[in-house]
Amino acid sequence: MKQSLMFIPTLRDMPKDAEIASHKILLKGGYVKQHAAGVYTYLPLAYKVIKKIEKIVREELDAIGCSELLMPTLQSKDLWVESGRWDGYGKELMRMKDRHDRDFCLGPTHEEVVTAVVRDSVNSYKKLPVALYQIQTKFRDEFRPRFGLMRGREFIMKDLYTFSTSREDLNTWYLKVRQAYINIFTRLGLKFGIVSANSGQIGGKESEEFMVLCDIGEDTICFSDGSDFACNSELMDLKEGDPSPDGKGTIHLAKGIEVGHIFKLGTKYSEPMNLMFIDVDNTKKPVVMGCYGIGISRLIMAILEQHNTDLKVLWPETVAPFKVHVIPMDKVGSDGYNIANDIYEELKKKYEVLIDDRSESAGVKFNDADLIGIKYRIIVGRRAKEGIVEVKNMETLETKEMSIDEVKGMVF
Ligand code: ATP
Ligand code: MG
């Protein structure tokens, strides 16, 4: 990709309203553009990263037998009355009326819709289990949208729902999804922990959150140094130094960003919404459900928080917008540029390559490259005429001088 053609509207000055590193990077680096409080456009650079995150999520969920679908964002009030959440959800629910004065909401989550989808076609144990997920825009009129994509009013979520004949089968799915989440967050290059949580508006009795460890996180995690006990501080009133409730070790506190939440819903939706099936023993029972969310757009910020140094970005290779960044020092049309372009043309047969073909100073190019955060930089400078270019690994900060042919054949 030619950088001049990729719409990356970087800002010259540091945006004043951004308080945390990831938010500053997203705005300054031309990744997102704010539209209204908690509502953003994902510009091409951010959208490339999002698609890579989504691909990893899809691969891991498909691998455990989940199927992807896409449900409506616009949801009718009737279903929400059936579940009892039309009144229960409160002000976070974005409500609206159609031209016939019928009530709708913009989905903050999809338990109602998915329960209705399954109930009309699954009536026997023979058709269970079912595991359905989607990646979709969600709407929540958050009281305090803040930190950019961290707490948006419109955001991208992956939501998965499982439908089982028994509590045991739900437990099996829960553990499979939990492991898939571990795989996903590991592939995303995150340091994270899993904590017991409060199931909030979604309901059910048991839930766990996946927390990316980070000082600016909104959640407080209480964990023991003597066992794997860990919970969200919402759940228990624990202080630094308290004995761990499981009797093993001492409690410590840390901050975290919640990037995933998994719930054993049980029959919270199937009972009021009448999602029943006939079991092997010919009796009618409510379907046992689980639901599992990942904050896709929030993840971009969580990754950035753990992968920047003084606002210089280094994306994990699994989600980086490109593999290689070719940076010619000379202008388009010059011999130096042509050499860079040859390298670009060759490498792009195998890798995603970005070439900085803009007429900008070296300083501007390097500053922007630090915001784009690609691991390998090929700098085509003064020695290009002698057939020598520099390859810099931004992770090890090692720079190697290499011949043009060597670079063209390089394996990244
Ligand atoms: P929070 O406690 O942060 O409000 P939640 O418990 O309301 O989160 P869930 O309903 O479990 O969140 O949603 C699943 C995932 O979606 C969360 O783990 C989080 O990563 C993400 N998420 C929730 N609300 C937002 C939001 N307003 N903006 C961006 N991502 C969000
Ligand atoms: Mg919430």
Side-chain angles (χ1 to χ4, degrees):
M1 182 83 207
K2 298 218 152 119
Q3 208 164 321
S4 65
L5 290 177
M6 189 153 176
F7 186 70
I8 311 177
T10 49
L11 304 179
R12 205 168 281 267
D13 299 316
M14 198 50 82
K16 283 186 218 68
D17 45 348
E19 297 164 62
I20 59 172
S22 53
H23 193 192
K24 288 180 182 168
I25 292 163
L26 287 182
L27 292 174
K28 188 161 190 326
Y31 285 86
V32 299
K33 171 98 175 86
Q34 186 174 7
H35 172 77
V39 184
Y40 287 83
T41 294
Y42 308 105
L43 295 167
L45 209 48
Y47 200 47
K48 246 178 162 318
V49 177
I50 287 179
K51 282 188 280 186
K52 292 193 174 172
I53 297 173
E54 291 179 350
K55 182 165 182 284
I56 290 174
V57 169
R58 288 189 167 101
E59 283 170 6
E60 294 294 338
L61 294 184
D62 292 350
I64 57 165
C66 304
S67 317
E68 186 172 1
L69 82 174
L70 186 59
M71 291 181 272
T73 301
L74 196 58
Q75 306 183 4
S76 85
K77 175 182 173 182
D78 312 355
L79 282 180
W80 285 75
V81 170
E82 275 189 54
S83 72
R85 286 207 295 183
W86 183 258
D87 294 323
Y89 211 96
K91 288 194 165 169
E92 253 183 46
L93 192 63
M94 293 264 197
R95 296 156 210 259
M96 57 192 290
K97 284 189 189 293
D98 73 4
R99 61 168 70 195
H100 305 294
D101 217 28
R102 284 187 287 250
D103 288 301
F104 284 84
C105 66
L106 296 176
T109 173
H110 277 68
E111 284 79 12
E112 283 77 4
V113 178
V114 78
T115 301
V117 166
V118 173
R119 120 181 118 182
D120 295 337
S121 47
V122 172
N123 47 20
S124 155
Y125 71 93
K126 292 180 199 158
K127 293 188 180 162
L128 293 167
V130 170
L132 299 171
Y133 75 95
Q134 63 174 350
I135 295 178
Q136 207 208 32
T137 301
K138 296 278 192 269
F139 295 84
R140 293 184 184 178
D141 201 355
E142 298 276 359
F143 177 65
R144 205 172 157 216
R146 61 182 201 139
F147 288 172
L149 306 181
M150 201 72 88
R151 184 163 297 285
R153 294 196 297 163
E154 173 175 331
F155 59 97
I156 305 173
M157 195 204 285
K158 183 287 299 171
D159 44 329
L160 161 70
Y161 306 88
T162 60
F163 301 84
S164 298
T165 54
S166 64
R167 196 78 205 173
E168 292 71 55
D169 191 56
L170 166 63
N171 290 343
T172 308
W173 275 102
Y174 186 88
L175 290 177
K176 278 206 284 189
V177 176
R178 192 177 191 273
Q179 183 57 49
Y181 274 35
I182 293 174
N183 300 349
I184 290 167
F185 297 127
T186 305
R187 287 176 69 183
L188 295 178
L190 291 166
K191 290 189 208 68
F192 63 94
I194 305 175
V195 305
S196 315
N198 181 340
S199 42
Q201 291 284 14
I202 312 273
K205 288 202 183 64
E206 271 174 80
S207 84
E208 285 175 299
E209 288 165 342
F210 287 72
M211 292 285 184
V212 167
L213 306 172
C214 179
D215 289 344
I216 58 88
E218 286 187 298
D219 289 272
T220 303
I221 304 165
C222 312
F223 65 96
S224 164
D225 59 13
S227 69
D228 55 12
F229 174 86
C231 74
N232 191 316
S233 66
E234 291 167 357
L235 219 57
M236 280 184 211
D237 189 21
L238 293 168
K239 294 184 300 297
E240 180 79 33
D242 278 353
S244 178
D246 64 358
K248 295 178 205 151
T250 304
I251 288 296
H252 298 284
L253 304 185
K255 290 286 180 190
I257 302 170
E258 180 196 323
V259 289
H261 200 168
I262 57 180
F263 304 76
K264 291 183 187 174
L265 290 174
T267 56
K268 175 172 186 261
Y269 294 89
S270 49
E271 279 194 85
M273 295 185 70
N274 202 28
L275 168 56
M276 309 293 281
F277 73 103
I278 307 290
D279 209 350
V280 216
D281 59 8
N282 242 339
T283 59
K284 206 171 176 184
K285 296 176 182 166
V287 171
V288 185
M289 291 171 57
C291 87
Y292 319 82
I294 289 183
I296 302 279
S297 43
R298 182 181 283 184
L299 265 172
I300 290 203
M301 297 194 90
I303 296 171
L304 277 175
E305 284 297 329
Q306 286 192 348
H307 291 270
N308 87 86
T309 318
D310 300 331
L311 304 183
K312 292 191 166 91
V313 181
L314 178 61
W315 288 105
E317 281 189 89
T318 48
V319 295
F322 295 91
K323 188 94 180 171
V324 185
H325 200 172
V326 179
I327 309 180
M329 293 294 105
D330 296 336
K331 282 205 178 81
V332 172
S334 66
D335 291 345
Y337 183 84
N338 290 340
I339 290 168
N341 195 55
D342 270 359
I343 294 172
Y344 163 71
E345 291 291 343
E346 189 58 35
L347 290 180
K348 125 177 133 85
K349 292 177 189 161
K350 279 205 246 158
Y351 304 106
E352 283 182 289
V353 188
L354 183 68
I355 182 168
D356 195 346
D357 60 333
R358 302 170 306 158
S359 318
E360 295 287 358
S361 68
V364 168
K365 286 185 176 183
F366 286 125
N367 281 340
D368 287 351
D370 284 341
L371 288 163
I372 298 172
I374 302 167
K375 181 168 166 190
Y376 295 102
R377 256 181 222 179
I378 298 174
I379 301 143
V380 183
R382 230 176 312 132
R383 297 195 62 195
K385 284 187 246 29
E386 305 157 42
I388 302 289
V389 300
E390 276 178 22
V391 178
K392 186 165 182 186
N393 177 327
M394 299 307 293
E395 193 174 298
T396 59
L397 294 179
E398 230 183 315
T399 304
K400 271 195 217 151
E401 293 208 319
M402 292 175 84
S403 76
I404 291 167
D405 284 340
E406 265 180 305
V407 171
K408 283 184 179 170
M410 202 171 155
V411 178
F412 292 97

